Amino acid sequence: MTTHAWQKSSYSGASSECVEVRPAGGIVELRESDDEDVILRTTPVAFANLLHAIKAGELDQHV
């Protein structure tokens, strides 16, 4: 399985508390930067759908 370095949003700035993401062998992995042992794995399509929903504000009511 090919994995890449973890990436965080440029909006996070110097903050160490952020969500990080990386592609890994045909899936997408996400983790919280301050809890590196917990990794969520999902498909690229599901991740793209999540990003679309976030950008569209569809999840804003779930605060």
Side-chain angles (χ1 to χ4, degrees):
M1 173 166 55
T2 302
T3 57
H4 299 274
W6 290 101
Q7 296 179 339
K8 68 176 185 173
S9 170
S10 59
Y11 290 104
S12 298
S15 174
S16 63
E17 296 179 7
C18 60
V19 173
E20 298 175 318
V21 63
R22 72 177 178 185
I27 61 171
V28 177
E29 295 183 331
L30 299 106
R31 71 178 183 184
E32 181 67 31
S33 61
D34 61 352
D35 190 3
E36 297 176 355
D37 294 333
V38 178
I39 298 174
L40 173 68
R41 292 175 178 91
T42 189
T43 65
V45 171
F47 183 62
N49 289 339
L50 173 64
L51 291 179
H52 176 75
I54 291 169
K55 289 177 182 180
E58 296 173 9
L59 305 176
D60 290 349
Q61 71 277 6
H62 298 286
V63 178

